[in-house]
Amino acid sequence: MAGSTLSPDQLTALQNAATHLRIDSVRSTSTAGSGHPSSCCSAADIVAALFFSIMRYDPKNPRAFNSDRFVLSKGHAAPLLYAAWAEAGLFPKQDLLKLRTLTSDLEGHPTPRLSFVDMATGSLGQGLPVGVGIALNAKYVDKLDYRTYVLMGDGESVEGSVWEAVELARQQRLDNLCAIVDVNRLGQSDPTMLQHDMEAYRVRWTGFGWHAIIVDGHDLSAIVAGFHEAARTKNTPTVLLAKTFKGKGISFMEDQPNWHGKPVPQGADTQKAIDELTQQLKPNGTARAITRPSAVPTAMPAISPLPASPYKVGESAATREAFGVALEALGAVNPLVVGLDADVKNSTYTEKFGKKFPGRFFENFIAEQNMIGAAAGLAACGKVPFAATFAAFFTRAYDFIRMAAISQSNIKLVGTHVGVSIGEDGASQMGLEDIAMMATQPGITVLYPSDATCMYRLVETAANHKGMVYLRAGRPKSPVLYGAEERFPIGGSKILRQSATDTLTIVAAGITLFEALKAYDQLKAAGIAVRVIDLYSIVPIDRTTLLESARATENRILTVEDHYAHGGLGDAVLGAVGMEGIRVHKLAVRAIPHSGKPDELVDHFGIGARSIVEAAKHIIK
């Protein structure tokens, strides 16, 4: 069915395929007692056209090299996606009846535990940014000819993240990307803003520089012709704006409100819906997927170790700068590494990588949501993306981070300009909640290097670690503590000062580690022995060293951090040792900060050497 015009037999086959997808969506959601069959029915013709006339893929091997990619952004229509793969022959249709059960990976919304899902969806507005990343990989990194299709709902097109992705796709001339908007008019609680005003949709998308095609979303010939037109369109992405009806094919559901998220009740209603759909089947029409011979992937590129750290003990360097130096060096030894920026590359120092490896570096401009979504798309293609911005600005993309964690995405996030130590820029620029924000996500690694050597090595460690990593980087320069031979395993820490007579363990990281070392000198001069630990790995945490040190110092720990008190380093330490009878005292930022000089802010907000000395004396007394 690869031609642009369908024969009568081909049209019948596609119509039957769409009907089967509707029947299976109704049956599976009714059996489950929950789901979104009305949303599945509106998009069934679109999905049938893609899976059985347009997309080139191996129906037995969804991850085959160079296959066309499909992202279901409207993840609540998951039963339709599952039905399509069952119809293609990937797994038996009876498995569809396990929908939404504990023993099945056919969840209420798609997750990458399934071989045919690249990214978890369901939090709307995320599929197109992921599709951008997948398309970027094809066009600029691997230089492959696969196409990426993203099916969206009309309701989610209100999301700002969609328009971030629309902007970037135009800027990058992603003619290998095709979005489809299922304009079925009805949202969850109300009709959508534009309902069926298809011209308004067209004007919006063309105004953003896309090639927009309006089609009847239930006319398979028009849908197929639209996809072929999209494939012929060069230097610009295409969107198919498909006018559809929610619940299409079921008389009591079609274009009716109050059916969102409701299955057809089991019994007579389910039978009536299936009977109506079955009557729409025509004889002699069986659709088959278009199998594309998979190109033979090149051998896994050789990955070499980073050269020795260029930093020497006693020098001064900011950890954000060391990140940029390490990323540039990493690009030369690991061809899978790609970089993403959100218009701060001259502050995060990712510009070093971008200048040396422009084909693997993607500027997202001020669009942090799209940056994270695109990073996840690139990771789904086997790349190791490093996405960097000010730590405070990751809050804007937090839902994308959450969904990447659910997807167990192999993305690496680097947040710079953390804490009050950034100085004069003020509270809006100070990442003071980022550890709490990141550490709560499942499967993530959170690292907080204190000096340039540690950062340099942890960048390499992050790249080699399978899973999401967050690296926290400071703005001010600080002394280099570690020699080039030092290593920093995930889950470790470094004891920098200790003696047999220590009475308190001080745990710090980043800029406060140097404050703790200053406090150590002052306390030592006063005859008070304390231990100082550099907790560069916050998640996972070095519980063994913390417990051993606490027990050697009368079960007392003092944590110091350039972060709000809740959910940061102190809470991580408390969570690790609190059940063991260890008393944990926390110094942290406990007020909304103010502009000022870095040193005076660190002192003013109670995380400097003066405050550490006072707290240590109070705890020991």
Side-chain angles (χ1 to χ4, degrees):
M1 297 184 185
S4 58
T5 302
L6 295 174
S7 69
D9 286 345
Q10 290 171 337
L11 179 59
T12 296
L14 285 185
Q15 289 171 338
N16 284 351
T19 301
H20 282 302
L21 297 184
R22 291 187 172 99
I23 291 171
D24 288 335
S25 297
V26 169
R27 183 175 282 124
S28 62
T29 52
S30 294
T31 301
S34 64
H36 299 73
S38 62
S39 300
C40 296
C41 288
S42 67
D45 298 296
I46 297 164
V47 170
L50 281 170
F51 273 74
F52 304 108
S53 181
I54 297 298
M55 291 198 307
R56 302 160 299 169
Y57 64 102
D58 183 347
K60 295 293 187 181
N61 179 17
R63 297 194 187 279
F65 190 69
N66 206 27
S67 291
D68 288 346
R69 311 293 276 265
F70 176 75
V71 179
L72 180 67
S73 190
K74 50 176 280 180
H76 52 283
L80 176 63
L81 174 66
Y82 306 153
W85 280 104
E87 188 75 19
L90 180 63
F91 55 85
K93 280 196 173 188
Q94 59 261 33
D95 287 359
L96 297 173
L97 300 182
K98 301 175 184 176
L99 176 72
R100 292 176 167 240
T101 63
L102 186 60
T103 57
S104 173
D105 284 336
L106 301 180
E107 294 196 40
H109 292 77
T111 78
R113 280 197 294 274
L114 296 161
S115 61
F116 50 86
V117 175
D118 288 315
M119 178 72 177
T121 54
S123 184
L124 295 174
Q126 299 207 18
L128 193 58
V130 170
V132 166
I134 294 172
L136 286 171
N137 180 74
K139 185 161 187 172
Y140 295 110
V141 184
D142 286 345
K143 295 180 170 57
L144 297 171
D145 66 348
Y146 70 75
R147 293 183 60 76
T148 299
Y149 298 91
V150 179
L151 177 58
M152 305 160 51
D154 49 350
E156 75 175 293
S157 68
V158 177
E159 292 277 11
S161 56
V162 169
W163 300 101
E164 288 185 11
V166 168
E167 287 271 34
L168 189 73
R170 174 200 54 78
Q171 175 74 13
Q172 295 285 0
R173 300 178 181 274
L174 295 181
D175 49 10
N176 59 347
L177 174 65
C178 181
I180 311 102
V181 183
D182 177 21
V183 187
N184 63 26
R185 190 183 74 82
L186 295 172
Q188 175 168 331
S189 59
D190 281 308
T192 57
M193 282 184 179
L194 298 178
Q195 299 196 47
H196 274 150
D197 188 346
M198 304 306 294
E199 180 60 16
Y201 278 106
R202 188 195 66 78
V203 168
R204 291 185 181 191
W205 284 81
T206 56
F208 276 82
W210 281 52
H211 178 53
I213 305 170
I214 296 174
V215 297
D216 178 342
H218 301 305
D219 181 340
L220 280 154
S221 294
I223 295 169
V224 169
F227 283 127
H228 283 290
E229 182 178 335
R232 294 191 300 268
T233 301
K234 301 304 178 185
N235 297 317
T236 189
T238 295
V239 59
L240 260 66
L241 301 167
K243 181 180 178 180
T244 64
F245 294 95
K246 216 163 185 174
K248 176 67 175 178
I250 303 171
S251 60
F252 57 86
M253 182 187 289
E254 185 170 325
D255 200 30
Q256 296 300 310
N258 301 319
W259 272 102
H260 185 91
K262 295 179 181 178
V264 179
Q266 288 198 61
D269 287 337
T270 298
Q271 193 59 52
K272 180 181 178 182
I274 291 175
D275 287 346
E276 285 188 11
L277 291 167
T278 301
Q279 290 170 11
Q280 297 168 29
L281 293 171
K282 300 177 181 179
N284 304 321
T286 302
R288 291 288 181 267
I290 304 171
T291 300
R292 176 179 195 172
S294 181
V296 179
T298 56
M300 183 71 177
I303 297 172
S304 304
L306 273 188
S309 168
Y311 299 101
K312 294 180 173 58
V313 174
E315 294 179 344
S316 184
T319 52
R320 61 176 174 134
E321 183 176 2
F323 157 64
V325 170
L327 188 65
E328 179 187 14
L330 193 64
V333 300
N334 189 337
L336 297 177
V337 168
V338 296
L340 298 97
D341 173 61
D343 197 29
V344 289
K345 56 183 175 286
N346 55 341
S347 291
T348 62
Y349 288 93
T350 54
E351 65 180 1
K352 292 177 176 292
F353 180 94
K355 288 176 180 177
K356 194 163 184 179
F357 306 102
R360 287 190 274 149
F361 185 74
F362 301 105
E363 178 56 67
N364 290 262
F365 304 92
I366 304 174
E368 291 85 1
Q369 294 178 101
N370 188 82
M371 180 175 69
I372 303 303
L378 285 156
C381 299
K383 303 305 176 292
V384 182
F386 278 79
T389 187
F390 291 11
F393 303 156
F394 276 126
T395 59
R396 185 175 290 132
Y398 190 48
D399 190 29
F400 280 76
I401 294 168
R402 182 181 71 89
M403 293 299 287
I406 290 172
S407 301
Q408 298 182 306
S409 181
N410 192 34
I411 62 175
K412 319 301 173 183
L413 308 178
V414 183
T416 69
H417 294 67
V418 298
V420 300
S421 56
I422 75 165
E424 293 87 346
D425 281 343
S428 71
Q429 311 297 294
M430 295 172 176
L432 283 160
E433 60 286 294
D434 55 312
I435 296 175
M437 183 174 74
M438 299 295 181
T440 193
Q441 293 303 323
I444 194 169
T445 294
V446 179
L447 305 172
Y448 189 8
S450 298
D451 85 333
T453 298
C454 184
M455 172 61 86
Y456 184 86
R457 282 300 166 199
L458 285 179
V459 169
E460 179 182 30
T461 299
N464 293 332
H465 175 75
K466 183 67 174 177
M468 193 186 305
V469 177
Y470 176 62
L471 279 159
R472 195 174 203 239
R475 181 184 189 183
K477 291 181 181 293
S478 55
V480 176
L481 297 171
Y482 300 108
E485 72 288 347
E486 200 78 35
R487 292 296 180 267
F488 304 87
I490 289 174
S493 65
K494 300 287 184 182
I495 301 177
L496 299 186
R497 302 288 189 272
Q498 68 176 325
S499 74
T501 60
D502 293 339
T503 56
L504 174 68
T505 296
I506 302 174
V507 182
I511 200 71
T512 59
L513 179 64
F514 300 96
E515 297 299 315
L517 292 173
K518 293 175 191 174
Y520 168 88
D521 292 336
Q522 295 176 32
L523 290 166
K524 183 178 180 181
I528 301 172
V530 297
R531 187 166 301 191
V532 179
I533 294 178
D534 176 4
L535 194 69
Y536 66 81
S537 180
I538 295 175
V539 181
I541 199 166
D542 187 357
R543 184 172 183 268
T544 299
T545 297
L546 291 172
L547 278 174
E548 289 175 351
S549 293
R551 286 168 178 156
T553 58
E554 303 182 28
N555 288 333
R556 297 185 294 213
I557 290 179
L558 172 64
T559 64
V560 195
E561 58 188 310
D562 195 0
H563 187 278
Y564 285 138
H566 183 76
L569 179 149
D571 277 359
V573 172
L574 180 61
V577 304
M579 295 296 289
E580 302 293 333
I582 310 299
R583 287 166 291 166
V584 178
H585 308 262
K586 299 189 296 181
L587 293 180
V589 178
R590 296 180 181 272
I592 297 173
H594 194 276
S595 292
K597 299 295 183 185
D599 289 344
E600 66 180 356
L601 292 178
V602 167
D603 178 71
H604 179 78
F605 288 100
I607 57 173
R610 178 177 61 85
S611 298
I612 297 171
V613 169
E614 290 175 358
K617 289 180 177 179
H618 177 74
I619 293 166
I620 293 167
K621 286 180 180 178

